[in-house]
Amino acid sequence: MTRVRDTAVGLVAVYGGLSLAVGVLAFLGARWAHTYFITAATGDAVAELGPAFVNTVLLQLGVTVLALTPVMSTLAGVLVGRGIFQPVRSIQVAAVGGFVGTLVFGLVVAALGSLGTAAGSLWTTSYLSVLVAASVLAALTGGIGAAVGGRLA
């Protein structure tokens, strides 16, 4: 049981640390977009198009981050599968870790990215729907990675 607990804590720590790092990059990207498209821009179109461009940049940041989570979950699942010698337990830990880790990852990135600019936000129903879908996919790929990792051990 200690190995399972230590593995789960390690998985949460990796997702947590990585989400903070990517969240800071999302914040900086949002600040850059805000500065480039709104603050430094000139002309009449800035008031209309500037916020749309900033929202586009935020959306792309969010989608890119969520697209990476199944890959992260698969790699983490392979490591979990190699570390826990009970196949069903390793699949469960990797699947739950992938699901919860992706939720944490996406929420931290949304919070920090949205703080980067007053012109846009990732806190939309669409983003949260995609976040839940990415979490489910990450759970599936994490479980598959653990199954494969267990076979490689």
Side-chain angles (χ1 to χ4, degrees), residues 41-131:
T42 60
D44 295 335
V46 173
E48 293 178 24
L49 297 178
F53 286 129
V54 171
N55 278 327
T56 302
V57 169
L58 280 174
L59 175 67
Q60 189 57 45
L61 285 168
V63 169
T64 301
V65 165
L66 294 181
L68 294 175
T69 57
V71 175
M72 287 175 27
S73 184
T74 302
L75 295 174
V78 169
L79 295 175
V80 167
R82 292 180 58 94
I84 299 175
F85 300 112
Q86 300 168 336
V88 173
R89 179 76 85 192
S90 65
I91 291 169
Q92 290 170 341
V93 168
V96 171
F99 184 82
V100 173
T102 299
L103 282 177
V104 169
F105 198 78
L107 293 174
V108 168
V109 167
L112 292 176
S114 297
L115 286 175
T117 179
S121 175
L122 282 173
W123 295 110
T124 63
T125 305
S126 298
Y127 176 79
L128 296 176
S129 298
V130 173
L131 174 58

Side-chain angles (χ1 to χ4, degrees), residues 3-55:
R3 182 182 289 241
V4 171
R5 186 192 72 230
D6 290 347
T7 302
V9 168
L11 199 56
V12 169
V14 167
Y15 270 100
L18 196 54
S19 69
L20 287 174
V22 173
V24 168
L25 291 174
F27 174 83
L28 295 173
R31 288 298 322 144
W32 170 79
H34 185 82
T35 300
Y36 187 77
F37 290 119
I38 296 177
T39 307
T42 60
D44 295 335
V46 173
E48 293 178 24
L49 297 178
F53 286 129
V54 171
N55 278 327

